[in-house]
Amino acid sequence: MNRNDEKQLETLSPFEVKDTLMKLAAGNKDHAMINAGRGNPNWIATVPRDAFFQLGMFALQESKATYSQYPGFGGMSEKDNISTRFLSFCEDHEQNEGVRFLLNAFSYLTTEHMLDADDLIYEWVEGILGDNYPVPDRMLKNCEFISRKYIEQEMGNKPGLPESNFDLFAVEGGTAAMVYIFNTLKTNRLLNKGDDIAIGAPVFTPYLEMPELEDYCLNKVEIMASEETQWQIPDSELEKLRDPKIKAFFLVNPSNPASVKLSDDTLQKIADIAKERPELILLTDDVYGTFTDNFTSLAMLAPKNTILVYSYSKYFGATGWRLGVVAVSEDNNLDKMIADLPESTRQELTKRYSGISLDPANIKFIDRLVADSRAVALNHTAGLSTPQQVQMTLFSLLALLEGGQEYQENAKKIVRARYQTLMQNSLTKPTIAEDNSNGAFYYVEINIQDLAVSAYNNDFFSWMQEEYEPLDFLVRLAEECSIVVMPGGGFDAPEWSLRVSLANLPQSAYETISYAINAVLESYYQTYLSNR
């Protein structure tokens, strides 16, 4: 690939660049392709899936018992005494790991949280059968309760933090959540064309692109984390949030590609600014929070200002399930901001939602999200499919039950062992130390400039800059070594950097990647020496 081709490729999203690199890597018949581009984990949480399928068998048994007119047909289950029949089913199959998990979950929910036994099992059975619309459409009652407990636990709801009780909206993964949120913010005039929105960078590249789309036409103000401070946001950048022109601040925490959470001190400074600016909307995507130690979400520190997005995809190995939630505190400033809109605007919005409520002016923000997700007119069909909600609930219970801490520790061990393997042969010190409590280690950003200067000298890197495009290093990795990584510049990381996913490959692959990076850098250096 020549330099002009690389220049053109650099204008595309890094995910489109990855596809081209994969084609180049596949063309090398001397090596099997190692794709460290996309962050799809190569593990799954087995126990809650086992429980899901066992629950499905019980649900089918219940359905078949209520309808026998024609073969191959089942009916809707009977609620009366369904928990007794469930316990009997579990007793008959208690040798199965998934059934034992269901029994532990049932005991935990009915004893510790006093959920009604028949109500719980009936919701699960009807939900897993998928024989009715989601009711409530925002989220099934018990599914919401359980998922809320999980969110509060994993997102750092600790004594001494502001009180908050979150409403949840179950959605098709974190990216669907973002689309719904931006649409509803726009529709309800909380974000308008030409408004300034701050974005914590470096960041997952579609989040950089969304504000600029014709649908939104927002002005992007980047709040840059610093590699020199191990990807924390300097106070000078946080000060931008005091500008009243900035209507919202959007961040991914822990970050992508750097995979580092914001320190408690930084989060508190953001929360303090939000307290001074109740009209500042905070939007935080915390999908990688469970991979860090003692994670606290911004939603827990500034609940009135914050919309929290969480996806189950990475932690539980469930990208194909498309499971996520939007969480908004019951006491939030968004509802107040809608109530304070100009009278003419409120009348327009009242008309928009008049077909779904007798009191449309007072529909909460999160319920507007639900309605807008189906263009309002189809609100009666809104909601995440009920089997998905049941699986989401079982994932949540894995973390809430006794074995949850062990699962989390093992998930962290997986990615951290891969990080150690990748970095043990690195030509420079890792940006994030292995004992850094802020590290998630789901991805790693590698600065090619730091490698070149550390291994050789400044003149060598200056020559590289003059002679090659930043993407050339990734192209060579693909063409010569069949290794695919993502360009860091596409995430607003340094142009001469790359991102390696630590989630989707066996540990041994990361040693191969490390040696390949060193070999490609050495090949540049030999060319540099020959041209001197």
Side-chain angles (χ1 to χ4, degrees):
M1 182 177 290
N2 62 44
R3 189 166 187 174
N4 286 333
D5 291 337
E6 290 173 349
K7 277 185 177 180
Q8 287 187 322
L9 201 56
E10 284 170 340
T11 65
L12 300 179
S13 160
F15 293 93
E16 302 303 321
V17 174
K18 173 182 64 67
D19 291 342
T20 299
L21 295 175
M22 288 177 65
K23 292 176 183 177
L24 294 174
N28 186 331
K29 303 305 180 184
D30 295 328
H31 305 281
M33 182 167 62
I34 297 177
N35 183 358
R38 198 162 190 184
N40 193 103
N42 66 344
W43 69 83
I44 67 166
T46 59
V47 177
R49 285 174 167 88
D50 194 335
F52 180 87
F53 294 123
Q54 294 301 319
L55 181 62
M57 295 304 295
F58 170 69
L60 276 176
Q61 178 178 297
E62 285 291 295
S63 176
K64 290 177 180 179
T66 64
Y67 195 97
S68 58
Q69 185 176 356
Y70 300 109
F73 284 78
M76 294 187 176
S77 53
E78 294 286 349
K79 185 174 182 179
D80 288 347
N81 297 316
I82 193 170
S83 62
T84 302
R85 300 192 296 276
F86 168 76
L87 292 173
S88 177
F89 172 88
C90 290
E91 185 177 338
D92 292 341
H93 300 85
E94 63 181 345
Q95 75 281 2
N96 180 275
E97 185 178 36
V99 169
R100 293 196 298 273
F101 178 83
L102 289 171
L103 277 171
N104 289 338
F106 177 81
S107 175
Y108 163 76
L109 294 169
T110 57
T111 303
E112 187 167 333
H113 292 294
M114 305 303 291
L115 296 189
D116 181 89
D118 283 347
D119 188 50
L120 171 67
I121 300 303
Y122 182 74
E123 181 179 293
W124 279 1
V125 166
E126 289 293 284
I128 206 165
L129 290 173
D131 61 1
N132 211 331
Y133 292 104
V135 179
D137 49 13
R138 185 160 56 75
M139 197 167 186
L140 302 179
K141 183 182 72 171
N142 292 308
C143 289
E144 180 181 17
F145 175 84
I146 297 163
S147 298
R148 182 190 297 120
K149 287 296 177 186
Y150 169 70
I151 290 295
E152 289 173 347
Q153 174 180 288
E154 299 302 329
M155 297 294 102
N157 187 17
K158 303 179 181 71
L161 294 180
E163 287 190 12
S164 58
N165 190 22
F166 291 98
D167 288 325
L168 303 187
F169 173 26
V171 294
E172 305 91 330
T175 48
M178 289 302 168
V179 173
Y180 294 156
I181 289 166
F182 271 92
N183 283 340
T184 295
L185 288 172
K186 175 191 173 186
T187 297
N188 286 272
R189 316 301 198 272
L190 299 181
L191 287 179
N192 299 288
K193 284 188 176 183
D195 281 350
D196 290 352
I197 176 172
I199 297 181
V203 71
F204 178 56
T205 184
Y207 294 165
L208 289 169
E209 297 161 355
M210 281 179 64
E212 299 174 347
L213 295 176
E214 184 180 355
D215 290 348
Y216 307 115
C217 295
L218 300 169
N219 297 321
K220 184 175 62 182
V221 178
E222 292 188 0
I223 307 293
M224 292 296 299
S226 170
E227 188 173 7
E228 287 70 29
T229 57
Q230 299 202 336
W231 299 111
Q232 296 300 311
I233 302 176
D235 288 353
S236 58
E237 290 291 296
L238 292 178
E239 284 298 308
K240 296 177 182 178
L241 298 177
R242 298 187 187 279
D243 186 344
K245 290 189 296 184
I246 291 180
K247 305 298 183 183
F249 176 40
F250 176 27
L251 71 156
V252 176
N253 183 36
S255 55
N256 177 6
S259 203
V260 176
K261 72 176 182 179
L262 294 180
S263 68
D264 291 343
D265 183 52
T266 299
L267 287 173
Q268 189 58 56
K269 288 175 182 176
I270 297 170
D272 290 342
I273 293 172
K275 189 174 181 180
E276 296 170 13
R277 293 195 59 207
E279 78 285 359
L280 178 65
I281 300 167
L282 303 176
L283 175 55
T284 182
D285 178 347
D286 294 350
V287 60
Y288 305 106
T290 44
F291 291 92
T292 68
D293 299 330
N294 302 313
F295 180 74
T296 300
S297 170
L298 189 56
M300 300 299 171
L301 298 174
K304 292 186 177 183
N305 296 67
T306 306
I307 304 168
L308 166 65
V309 171
Y310 179 77
S311 167
Y312 288 72
S313 60
K314 304 306 192 335
Y315 190 48
F316 298 101
T319 53
W321 262 109
R322 313 312 299 141
L323 304 177
V325 291
V326 179
V328 178
S329 176
E330 286 184 351
D331 180 15
N332 66 81
N333 293 339
L334 296 157
D335 291 337
K336 296 182 178 67
M337 292 164 67
I338 291 172
D340 291 338
L341 289 169
E343 178 65 25
S344 60
T345 303
R346 284 192 291 117
Q347 286 180 4
E348 289 178 23
L349 294 175
T350 295
K351 182 178 179 182
R352 176 180 177 83
Y353 300 107
S354 61
I356 62 171
S357 173
L358 295 175
D359 187 18
N362 293 313
I363 295 176
K364 295 194 295 185
F365 174 80
I366 196 161
D367 292 318
R368 294 173 189 236
L369 271 177
V370 179
D372 292 333
S373 74
R374 297 297 182 270
V376 183
L378 297 172
N379 181 68
H380 64 288
T381 64
L384 184 66
S385 80
T386 58
Q388 287 175 283
Q389 293 194 47
V390 173
Q391 181 68 89
M392 185 189 300
T393 298
L394 296 173
F395 284 146
S396 296
L397 284 164
L398 177 64
L400 293 167
L401 295 175
E402 188 175 347
Q405 188 64 37
E406 182 182 8
Y407 180 87
Q408 183 171 55
E409 289 305 315
N410 287 336
K412 291 193 286 190
K413 285 178 183 177
I414 290 171
V415 293
R416 292 173 191 219
R418 294 170 182 180
Y419 180 79
Q420 184 180 30
T421 298
L422 178 71
M423 300 309 295
Q424 66 186 0
N425 296 304
S426 175
L427 297 173
T428 186
K429 290 182 179 180
T431 304
I432 307 301
E434 290 178 42
D435 60 353
N436 188 320
S437 61
N438 294 323
F441 302 101
Y442 197 88
Y443 304 107
V444 59
E445 183 265 351
I446 295 177
N447 191 310
I448 299 167
Q449 178 177 358
D450 288 348
L451 286 178
V453 171
S454 177
Y456 302 107
N457 53 57
N458 280 308
D459 287 343
F460 166 56
F461 180 70
S462 296
W463 171 83
M464 284 183 69
Q465 281 184 301
E466 290 176 6
E467 297 295 325
Y468 302 98
E469 290 299 307
L471 193 61
D472 189 74
F473 196 98
L474 281 69
V475 169
R476 290 199 189 193
L477 274 176
E479 288 182 331
E480 298 172 11
C481 308
S482 293
I483 288 172
V484 178
V485 294
M486 297 281 269
F491 297 82
D492 270 14
E495 277 192 333
W496 283 86
S497 69
L498 55 88
R499 189 199 78 171
V500 177
S501 168
L502 299 170
N504 67 325
L505 295 169
Q507 188 170 334
S508 59
Y510 294 96
E511 184 175 24
T512 304
I513 293 171
S514 182
Y515 282 126
I517 289 172
N518 294 347
V520 168
L521 188 64
E522 172 66 18
S523 71
Y524 279 104
Y525 187 65
Q526 292 303 319
T527 303
Y528 164 73
L529 291 178
S530 66
N531 290 335
R532 292 187 67 183

Coordinates of all heavy atoms in Angstrom, one line a residue, residues 47 50-51 54 57 86-104:
V47 N -22.5 -20.0 33.8 CA -23.5 -20.4 34.7 C -24.9 -19.7 34.5 O -25.9 -20.4 34.5 CB -23.1 -20.2 36.2 CG1 -24.2 -20.5 37.2 CG2 -21.8 -21.1 36.5
D50 N -26.5 -21.4 31.5 CA -27.0 -22.7 31.9 C -28.4 -22.5 32.6 O -29.3 -23.2 32.3 CB -26.0 -23.4 32.9 CG -26.3 -24.8 33.1 OD1 -27.4 -25.2 32.9 OD2 -25.4 -25.6 33.4
A51 N -28.4 -21.5 33.5 CA -29.6 -21.2 34.2 C -30.8 -20.8 33.3 O -31.9 -21.2 33.4 CB -29.4 -20.1 35.3
Q54 N -32.1 -23.9 31.5 CA -32.9 -24.7 32.4 C -34.2 -24.1 32.7 O -35.2 -24.7 32.8 CB -32.1 -25.0 33.7 CG -30.8 -25.8 33.5 CD -31.1 -27.2 32.9 OE1 -32.1 -27.8 33.2 NE2 -30.3 -27.6 31.9
M57 N -36.6 -24.7 30.0 CA -37.2 -26.0 30.0 C -38.4 -26.1 31.0 O -39.4 -26.7 30.7 CB -36.1 -27.1 30.4 CG -35.0 -27.3 29.4 SD -35.6 -27.6 27.7 CE -36.3 -29.2 28.0
F86 N -42.0 -24.7 40.4 CA -40.7 -24.4 40.0 C -39.7 -25.1 41.0 O -38.7 -25.7 40.6 CB -40.4 -22.9 40.1 CG -39.0 -22.4 40.1 CD1 -38.3 -22.4 38.9 CD2 -38.4 -22.0 41.2 CE1 -37.0 -22.0 38.9 CE2 -37.0 -21.6 41.2 CZ -36.3 -21.6 40.0
L87 N -40.0 -25.0 42.3 CA -39.1 -25.7 43.3 C -39.1 -27.2 43.1 O -38.1 -27.9 43.3 CB -39.6 -25.3 44.7 CG -39.3 -23.9 45.1 CD1 -39.9 -23.5 46.4 CD2 -37.8 -23.5 45.1
S88 N -40.3 -27.7 42.7 CA -40.3 -29.2 42.4 C -39.5 -29.5 41.2 O -38.8 -30.6 41.2 CB -41.8 -29.6 42.2 OG -41.9 -30.9 41.9
F89 N -39.5 -28.7 40.2 CA -38.7 -28.9 39.0 C -37.2 -28.9 39.4 O -36.4 -29.7 38.9 CB -39.0 -27.9 37.9 CG -38.1 -27.8 36.8 CD1 -38.4 -28.6 35.7 CD2 -37.0 -27.0 36.7 CE1 -37.5 -28.6 34.6 CE2 -36.1 -27.0 35.7 CZ -36.4 -27.8 34.6
C90 N -36.9 -27.9 40.2 CA -35.5 -27.8 40.6 C -35.0 -29.0 41.4 O -33.9 -29.4 41.3 CB -35.3 -26.5 41.4 SG -35.4 -25.0 40.4
E91 N -35.9 -29.5 42.3 CA -35.6 -30.6 43.1 C -35.3 -31.9 42.2 O -34.4 -32.6 42.5 CB -36.7 -31.0 44.0 CG -36.4 -32.1 45.0 CD -37.5 -32.3 46.0 OE1 -38.3 -31.4 46.2 OE2 -37.6 -33.4 46.5
D92 N -36.0 -32.0 41.1 CA -35.8 -33.1 40.2 C -34.5 -33.0 39.3 O -34.1 -33.9 38.8 CB -37.0 -33.2 39.2 CG -38.3 -33.6 40.0 OD1 -38.2 -34.2 41.1 OD2 -39.4 -33.4 39.4
H93 N -34.0 -31.7 39.3 CA -32.8 -31.5 38.4 C -31.7 -30.8 39.1 O -30.9 -30.1 38.5 CB -33.3 -30.6 37.2 CG -34.3 -31.2 36.3 ND1 -35.7 -31.1 36.6 CD2 -34.2 -32.0 35.2 CE1 -36.4 -31.7 35.7 NE2 -35.5 -32.3 34.8
E94 N -31.6 -30.9 40.4 CA -30.7 -30.2 41.2 C -29.2 -30.6 41.0 O -28.3 -29.9 41.4 CB -31.0 -30.2 42.7 CG -30.9 -31.6 43.3 CD -31.3 -31.6 44.8 OE1 -31.3 -30.4 45.4 OE2 -31.5 -32.6 45.4
Q95 N -29.0 -31.7 40.3 CA -27.6 -32.0 39.9 C -27.0 -31.1 38.9 O -25.8 -31.0 38.6 CB -27.6 -33.5 39.4 CG -28.1 -33.7 38.0 CD -29.6 -33.8 37.9 OE1 -30.3 -33.6 38.9 NE2 -30.1 -34.0 36.7
N96 N -27.9 -30.3 38.2 CA -27.5 -29.4 37.2 C -27.0 -28.1 37.8 O -27.7 -27.5 38.7 CB -28.7 -29.1 36.2 CG -28.3 -28.2 35.1 OD1 -28.4 -27.0 35.3 ND2 -27.9 -28.7 34.0
E97 N -25.9 -27.6 37.3 CA -25.3 -26.3 37.8 C -26.3 -25.1 37.7 O -26.4 -24.3 38.5 CB -24.0 -26.0 37.2 CG -23.2 -24.8 37.7 CD -21.9 -24.6 37.0 OE1 -21.8 -24.9 35.8 OE2 -20.9 -24.2 37.7
G98 N -26.9 -25.1 36.5 CA -27.8 -23.9 36.2 C -29.0 -24.0 37.2 O -29.5 -22.9 37.6
V99 N -29.5 -25.1 37.5 CA -30.7 -25.3 38.4 C -30.3 -24.8 39.8 O -31.0 -24.1 40.5 CB -31.2 -26.7 38.4 CG1 -32.2 -26.9 39.5 CG2 -31.9 -27.0 37.0
R100 N -29.1 -25.2 40.2 CA -28.6 -24.8 41.6 C -28.5 -23.3 41.6 O -28.8 -22.7 42.6 CB -27.3 -25.5 41.9 CG -27.4 -27.0 42.1 CD -26.2 -27.6 42.8 NE -25.0 -27.4 42.0 CZ -24.5 -28.2 41.0 NH1 -25.2 -29.3 40.7 NH2 -23.4 -28.0 40.4
F101 N -28.0 -22.7 40.5 CA -27.9 -21.3 40.5 C -29.3 -20.6 40.6 O -29.5 -19.7 41.3 CB -27.3 -20.8 39.1 CG -27.2 -19.4 39.0 CD1 -26.1 -18.6 39.5 CD2 -28.1 -18.7 38.2 CE1 -26.1 -17.3 39.3 CE2 -28.1 -17.3 38.0 CZ -27.0 -16.6 38.6
L102 N -30.3 -21.2 39.9 CA -31.7 -20.7 40.0 C -32.2 -20.8 41.4 O -32.9 -19.9 41.9 CB -32.6 -21.4 39.0 CG -32.4 -21.2 37.5 CD1 -33.2 -22.2 36.7 CD2 -32.8 -19.7 37.2
L103 N -31.9 -21.9 42.1 CA -32.4 -22.1 43.5 C -31.8 -21.0 44.4 O -32.5 -20.4 45.2 CB -32.1 -23.5 44.0 CG -33.0 -24.6 43.6 CD1 -32.4 -25.9 43.9 CD2 -34.4 -24.4 44.3
N104 N -30.5 -20.8 44.2 CA -29.8 -19.8 45.0 C -30.4 -18.4 44.8 O -30.6 -17.6 45.7 CB -28.3 -19.8 44.8 CG -27.6 -21.0 45.3 OD1 -28.1 -21.7 46.2 ND2 -26.4 -21.4 44.7

